[in-house]
């Protein structure tokens, strides 16, 4: 092949069948190859790799519900990679998932990581992936593991998981509020911004429901953003700790939910310190009315307080 190290499909397969050496993935992780005959396998980088992996984790977007992040670009240097029969799975952190998608060049693909339903992953992680690469004609398969060079931000905390919300129904099993009253319809709808709403309702008596929040990963002081619509009743929000003790308090309009708007609840320095030291956090939605209490909630987010 002279000085040109780029493999053609025919040359690559011929080399495998004859037992010749073949450069595969990039370095790092483990790689195994299964063929009809014994072959010598080397690790390498660059255009002379049969299946070239380029780490994209340094520029990856946040993995969250309704979106995905590209963590690897794959270049098929022999034009034989079968993305439909090949598999990629996330070893850690679980549960999240990965798929092959078409890249922006011929014979190129990307690996996209997204949230799995029911997950409660929140933080920044180096993502470990397991690959089983199948090639056209099934002359050989490659299995490998790779871990991203850089940590990727993951916000796959599913508020619709039974452990992450609490109402008076049988499914929500979060610890607080212990005296829940009212129902949350489609509780997981608060996972995504600018989509459908979760509906909280209780007629004839006061309402109180809640969500378990993910661990706080940044320093205070804090504020809470809550997107709501169609508010009926005197609704307010506040935070409690793992013992159910209140950490924040409402004075005047603070913490009150109003129609068709994003409400920002700014917490005091003392409240922020209590939040930072609390460990477990729960967001409580409640009313003091005994009428027809109902509110639609689009999303909520604990944020760094704007100064």
């Amino acid at each position: 092949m002279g000085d040109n190290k780029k493999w053609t499909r025919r040359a690559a397969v011929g080399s495998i069948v004859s037992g010749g050496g073949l450069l595969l993935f990039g370095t790092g992780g483990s790689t195994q190859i299964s063929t009809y005959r014994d072959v010598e396998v080397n690790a390498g980088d660059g255009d002379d790799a049969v299946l070239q992996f380029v780490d994209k984790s340094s520029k990856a977007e946040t993995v969250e519900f309704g979106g995905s992040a590209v963590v690897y670009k794959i270049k098929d240097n022999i034009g034989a990679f079968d993305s439909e029969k090949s598999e990629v799975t996330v070893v850690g952190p679980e549960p999240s998932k990965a798929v092959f998608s078409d890249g922006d060049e011929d014979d190129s693909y990307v690996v996209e990581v997204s949230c799995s339903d029911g997950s409660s992953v929140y933080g920044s992680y180096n993502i470990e992936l397991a690959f089983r690469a199948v090639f056209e004609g099934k002359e050989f398969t490659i299995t490998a593991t790779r871990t991203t060079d850089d940590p990727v931000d993951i916000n796959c905390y599913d508020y619709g998981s039974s452990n992450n919300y609490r109402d008076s129904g049988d499914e929500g099993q979060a610890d607080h509020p212990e005296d829940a009253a009212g129902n949350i319809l489609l509780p997981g709808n608060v996972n995504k911004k600018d989509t459908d709403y979760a509906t909280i309702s209780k007629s004839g008596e006061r309402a109180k429901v809640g969500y378990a929040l993910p661990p706080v990963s940044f320093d205070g002081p804090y504020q809470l953003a809550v997107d709501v619509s169609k508010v009926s009743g005197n609704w307010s929000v506040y935070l409690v700790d793992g013992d159910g003790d209140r950490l924040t308090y409402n004075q005047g309009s603070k913490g009150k939910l109003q129609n068709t708007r994003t409400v920002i609840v700014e917490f005091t320095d003392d409240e922020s310190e209590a939040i930072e030291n609390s460990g477990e956090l729960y967001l409580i939605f409640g009313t003091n009315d005994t009428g027809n209490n109902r509110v639609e909630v689009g999303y909520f987010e604990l944020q760094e307080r704007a100064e």
Side-chain angles (χ1 to χ4, degrees), residues 23 31 81 87 128 156 171 198 256 280 283 300 305:
L23 294 170
T31 304
F81 176 67
E87 299 174 350
E128 183 180 358
C156 290
E171 295 186 8
K256 304 297 182 181
E280 297 181 11
L283 174 61
F300 45 79
R305 190 179 73 198

Side-chain angles (χ1 to χ4, degrees), residues 76-93:
D76 174 16
N77 286 329
I78 61 173
F81 176 67
D82 192 330
S83 62
E84 294 185 358
K85 294 181 180 179
S86 298
E87 299 174 350
V88 55
T89 57
V90 177
V91 178

Side-chain angles (χ1 to χ4, degrees), residues 128-158:
E128 183 180 358
L129 300 165
F131 299 91
R132 180 178 179 270
V134 177
F135 292 80
E136 182 184 349
K138 298 183 179 179
E139 291 93 350
F140 60 94
T141 61
I142 300 171
T143 58
T145 61
R146 290 292 182 272
T147 301
T148 58
D149 291 339
D150 293 285
V152 177
D153 291 334
I154 299 180
N155 182 10
C156 290
Y157 190 89
D158 185 4

Side-chain angles (χ1 to χ4, degrees), residues 7-260:
W7 292 88
T8 66
R9 179 181 181 277
R10 179 177 298 176
V13 174
S15 180
I16 290 175
V17 173
S18 64
L22 190 61
L23 294 170
L24 297 175
F25 297 88
T27 57
S30 63
T31 304
Q32 292 182 328
I33 185 168
S34 300
T35 72
Y36 296 130
R37 301 187 183 186
D38 293 336
V39 295
E40 178 184 347
V41 178
N42 299 313
D45 286 318
D47 290 341
D48 52 1
V50 169
L51 206 59
Q52 179 186 356
F53 273 46
V54 180
D55 192 294
K56 295 292 185 180
S57 57
S58 64
K59 297 181 179 179
E61 297 181 356
T62 299
V63 180
E64 56 189 355
F65 285 100
S68 61
V70 173
V71 295
Y72 277 102
K73 178 179 179 180
I74 303 175
K75 189 174 181 181
D76 174 16
N77 286 329
I78 61 173
F81 176 67
D82 192 330
S83 62
E84 294 185 358
K85 294 181 180 179
S86 298
E87 299 174 350
V88 55
T89 57
V90 177
V91 178
E94 294 184 294
S96 45
K97 56 187 178 182
V99 297
F100 293 112
S101 300
D102 290 337
D104 55 3
E105 301 174 358
D106 291 341
D107 293 325
S108 72
Y109 305 86
V110 294
V111 177
E112 295 182 278
V113 176
S114 58
C115 302
S116 295
D117 292 339
S119 64
S120 295
V121 182
Y122 188 88
S124 186
Y125 301 87
N126 290 85
I127 300 176
E128 183 180 358
L129 300 165
F131 299 91
R132 180 178 179 270
V134 177
F135 292 80
E136 182 184 349
K138 298 183 179 179
E139 291 93 350
F140 60 94
T141 61
I142 300 171
T143 58
T145 61
R146 290 292 182 272
T147 301
T148 58
D149 291 339
D150 293 285
V152 177
D153 291 334
I154 299 180
N155 182 10
C156 290
Y157 190 89
D158 185 4
Y159 287 107
S161 173
S162 60
N163 292 325
N164 293 335
Y165 75 94
R166 179 75 174 265
D167 61 5
S168 57
D170 296 329
E171 295 186 8
Q173 299 297 317
D175 289 341
H176 298 289
E178 293 181 348
D179 55 343
N183 295 301
I184 308 176
L185 179 64
L186 301 174
N189 278 358
V190 300
N191 288 333
K192 307 173 186 177
K193 296 181 180 180
D194 303 322
T195 58
D196 295 332
Y197 286 70
T199 300
I200 306 173
S201 62
K202 180 64 177 176
S203 296
E205 55 185 286
R206 297 176 181 178
K208 184 188 288 187
V209 300
Y211 282 94
L213 299 184
V216 180
S217 58
F218 55 95
D219 296 333
Y222 304 104
Q223 65 183 28
L224 179 72
V226 187
D227 178 65
V228 295
S229 178
K230 299 180 181 178
V231 180
S232 177
N234 187 24
W235 289 89
S236 61
V237 291
Y238 57 92
L239 299 177
V240 302
D241 61 16
D243 295 323
D245 296 330
R246 286 190 67 152
L247 302 176
T248 66
Y249 297 87
N250 303 329
Q251 294 92 22
S253 61
K254 178 184 175 182
K256 304 297 182 181
L257 303 183
Q258 303 180 36
N259 271 306
T260 318

Side-chain angles (χ1 to χ4, degrees), residues 276-299:
E276 194 165 357
N277 296 329
S278 65
E280 297 181 11
L281 276 178
Y282 297 84
L283 174 61
I284 307 300
F285 290 81
T287 69
N288 293 319
D289 298 335
T290 56
N292 182 23
N293 294 307
R294 177 186 174 94
V295 61
E296 295 184 354
V297 183
Y299 77 93

